[in-house]
Amino acid sequence: MLHLDDGLDLRPAGASDAARIALWMAQPHIRRWWHQDWSVERWAQEITRQTSGEHSVPCVAAVDEEDFGYVELYRVRHDHLAEYYASDEHDWGMHLAIGDVTRVGRGLGRRLIRAVADALLRADPACERVVAEPDVQNTPSVRAFVAAGFVQQGELQLPDKTAVLMVRTRTTLEA
């Protein structure tokens, strides 16, 4: 368990989290953007695949000891995103979804984004920036990243979407 700023916690997801993550991914506000409303079995396989490799780390976010969201942390150098911008070997990327619908639209996403980015920058001295690539049409997500200190660095035409490259730098952390 990683205790983040602002009363948030992040822990690695395990196969036992597959049912909750599958439920979250089936929520309309997530399904529209993630396109991963998979079965519990498929999510269990995906979590196992991710945890056995070096590409990404699936996590569950909690506030006041209540799980509310899914976060994937990844090294951009291991991701197709590295082909679409001038990435650095130490860049971290993040995907996140607030699965608990009672917590959507209350600023929790912004808090989580900022806390995760701060934790990554503190934990990895070689990392100068954390990036995200929400769909350009996902206005709530883009707004949350901006509110968390990320800066829009233009649009990227990815295979499955037009994304906004969002960047949080170490200088933002130190400011």
Side-chain angles (χ1 to χ4, degrees):
M1 175 84 63
L2 175 63
H3 299 292
L4 304 172
D5 294 341
D6 211 8
L8 300 165
D9 295 310
L10 198 64
R11 66 172 172 79
S16 62
D17 294 303
R20 174 170 284 149
I21 294 169
L23 176 67
W24 289 340
M25 292 299 167
Q27 300 298 318
H29 73 282
I30 296 174
R31 185 177 59 234
R32 176 178 180 195
W33 307 112
W34 282 67
H35 310 289
Q36 292 179 327
D37 52 332
W38 302 334
S39 68
V40 173
E41 294 76 20
R42 183 157 177 205
W43 267 106
Q45 291 170 351
E46 176 64 12
I47 292 165
T48 299
R49 183 191 67 76
Q50 286 187 48
T51 57
S52 65
E54 60 178 30
H55 174 260
S56 60
V57 180
C59 300
V60 174
V63 64
D64 301 325
E65 299 181 17
E66 288 186 28
D67 295 344
F68 71 89
Y70 178 69
V71 178
E72 288 177 351
L73 305 175
Y74 63 95
R75 280 290 193 184
V76 174
R77 70 177 180 255
H78 297 300
D79 192 83
H80 70 88
L81 182 60
E83 302 167 22
Y84 294 90
Y85 80 101
S87 63
D88 182 79
E89 178 182 357
H90 300 285
D91 286 357
W92 278 98
M94 65 187 307
H95 299 128
L96 72 136
I98 306 300
D100 180 347
V101 294
T102 66
R103 298 194 183 260
V104 173
R106 299 174 183 244
L108 193 55
R110 174 190 71 236
R111 287 174 50 201
L112 178 61
I113 292 166
R114 180 182 301 277
V116 169
D118 287 353
L120 287 170
L121 290 166
R122 283 190 195 108
D124 185 353
C127 176
E128 292 296 324
R129 60 189 170 183
V130 177
V131 302
E133 79 293 343
D135 190 296
V136 70
Q137 295 180 21
N138 190 344
T139 306
S141 182
V142 172
R143 275 197 312 254
F145 276 100
V146 169
F150 282 68
V151 176
Q152 297 181 44
Q153 297 288 314
E155 293 183 7
L156 303 174
Q157 189 57 58
L158 303 177
D160 57 340
K161 66 184 176 184
T162 301
V164 179
L165 179 64
M166 308 294 300
V167 178
R168 175 91 187 269
T169 62
R170 179 167 297 285
T171 30
T172 310
L173 175 68
E174 295 167 353

